[in-house]
Amino acid sequence: MTGASSGIGLVTARMAAQRGAKLVLAARNEDALQQLAAEIRRQGGQAVALIADVGEEDVIRIAEAAITEFGGFDTWVSNAGVSIFGSCEEVSIPDMRRMFDTNFWGVVYSSWLAVKHFKEGGSAGALINVGSFFGDRATPVQSTYSASKHALHGWTDALRMELEKEDAPVSVTLIHPGRIDTPYNEHARNYLPKQPSHVGVVYVPETVAEAIFFAAEHPKRDLFIGFQAKFFTMLGSVAERLTDKIMEAWMYPSQHDDRPSRSRDDNALYRPDYGLPERGTHHGWCRSGSLYVKAQ
């Protein structure tokens, strides 16, 4: 599990440990990871903490740790990610490149290693990549994030087809979260004068964890988290200009709170941010679950 020190990764790790999974927890925040691994072990679970930056090919050490500690792995979840709030013309090229290192190249490195392990081991395994609704439909304000997730989605879909064509023992699932109540907004690099926040419907991260667990046990192409994510993806494919207009009207006011922003340098783009928070500081309507996820 990459990105295990907060948000979706943290919630999924805790829930997976309760279900008896043996875990390799990967993130950049050493203190948070060590605390999480110790917490899981105190409760009778098995977990190894590994400090790793997926944007710098540290994923090799993640795979090696799983093999050394547990003899291998049957599920790899690529969850690490970070966002940037700002217009296409504002965000610097170095910031864009750094985000792609994490959101896209980290998934590529991870996918290579996971597929290689499953093929060489000869037993079925699950590769689960956490994308975004914004990987299906671009949005203003988070242009770079959308672009990185579009790239992630394209890579995942192409990889799935190639593996299916050769009948490889790997299921590849793409998770499409809508708005989720995580510290994603606090960890993002922000060019806006106001603090990023989800305004509107948001879902608890446990909803994403449920989808990840299902994908680990059942081959599934896609899982959309929240009906909104699926609805606007479908609407965008049949009514592109209408969807543009809706997003132009809604996405500017719904991605920030009426409060001052943290410093532009106070974020998790280049360094670890604070760890072990499951939830963010959003002012949206928080849903306790998703019937659409359960229907899938």
Side-chain angles (χ1 to χ4, degrees):
M1 169 70 68
T2 68
S5 62
S6 68
I8 292 170
L10 175 60
V11 169
T12 305
R14 284 172 167 160
M15 292 174 64
Q18 293 172 359
R19 294 172 177 230
K22 300 175 183 179
L23 295 160
V24 175
L25 309 168
R28 293 175 297 171
N29 190 315
E30 182 174 5
D31 290 343
L33 276 189
Q34 295 293 355
Q35 290 181 50
L36 176 59
E39 170 194 317
I40 290 172
R41 289 193 291 265
R42 282 196 306 271
Q43 296 172 356
Q46 299 183 63
V48 175
L50 188 73
I51 312 310
D53 185 336
V54 298
E56 297 179 358
E57 300 189 55
D58 282 359
V59 291
I60 295 172
R61 295 191 298 107
I62 302 174
E64 290 174 346
I67 293 169
T68 300
E69 295 292 332
F70 303 122
F73 54 91
D74 56 26
T75 304
W76 184 295
V77 183
S78 289
N79 167 71
V82 65
S83 187
I84 299 175
F85 286 73
S87 73
C88 294
E89 295 173 282
E90 288 179 305
V91 179
S92 72
I93 296 299
D95 283 357
M96 291 183 185
R97 290 184 183 278
R98 175 58 185 170
M99 171 177 285
F100 266 80
D101 284 343
T102 299
N103 291 8
F104 175 67
W105 287 111
V107 174
V108 173
Y109 302 147
S110 298
S111 298
W112 276 345
L113 283 169
V115 169
K116 181 174 183 289
H117 177 77
F118 296 141
K119 283 184 173 182
E120 291 179 351
S123 58
L127 172 63
I128 303 169
N129 292 340
V130 179
S132 170
F133 159 63
F134 290 149
D136 300 308
R137 179 68 200 183
T139 182
V141 181
Q142 292 189 74
S143 54
T144 307
Y145 181 76
S146 292
S148 70
K149 291 296 185 177
H150 271 73
L152 183 160
H153 287 204
W155 161 264
T156 301
D157 289 344
L159 176 63
R160 182 192 301 107
M161 288 186 287
E162 291 176 0
L163 292 172
E164 189 171 51
K165 178 65 175 177
E166 64 182 85
D167 199 27
V170 188
S171 69
V172 180
T173 301
L174 182 60
I175 307 290
H176 305 245
R179 290 179 163 186
I180 310 298
D181 185 13
T182 72
Y184 158 95
N185 62 321
E186 298 290 346
H187 292 171
R189 190 169 181 85
N190 184 31
Y191 285 72
L192 307 178
K194 295 183 178 180
Q195 178 63 28
S197 175
H198 292 323
V199 179
V201 175
V202 294
Y203 293 89
V204 294
E206 286 84 352
T207 307
V208 187
E210 289 179 9
I212 289 172
F213 297 145
F214 184 82
E217 298 178 341
H218 306 85
K220 186 77 175 175
R221 185 184 192 278
D222 299 277
L223 284 164
F224 288 81
I225 313 303
F227 180 71
Q228 280 186 335
K230 180 64 173 179
F231 174 77
F232 281 104
T233 298
M234 295 174 61
L235 183 65
S237 67
V238 298
E240 295 174 346
R241 290 297 293 136
L242 173 61
T243 307
D244 285 348
K245 294 298 183 182
I246 292 173
M247 298 191 77
E248 287 166 18
W250 177 238
M251 285 301 169
Y252 284 96
S254 72
Q255 296 190 75
H256 62 77
D257 277 341
D258 190 16
R259 55 187 166 115
S261 171
R262 295 170 67 186
S263 165
R264 185 176 297 179
D265 295 325
D266 187 9
N267 58 77
L269 184 61
Y270 292 98
R271 59 173 178 78
D273 209 343
Y274 63 93
L276 295 185
E278 293 185 349
R279 308 300 173 85
T281 58
H282 309 285
H283 288 169
W285 171 37
C286 190
R287 299 283 304 276
S288 61
S290 168
L291 293 176
Y292 186 70
V293 168
K294 294 188 181 299
Q296 291 173 91

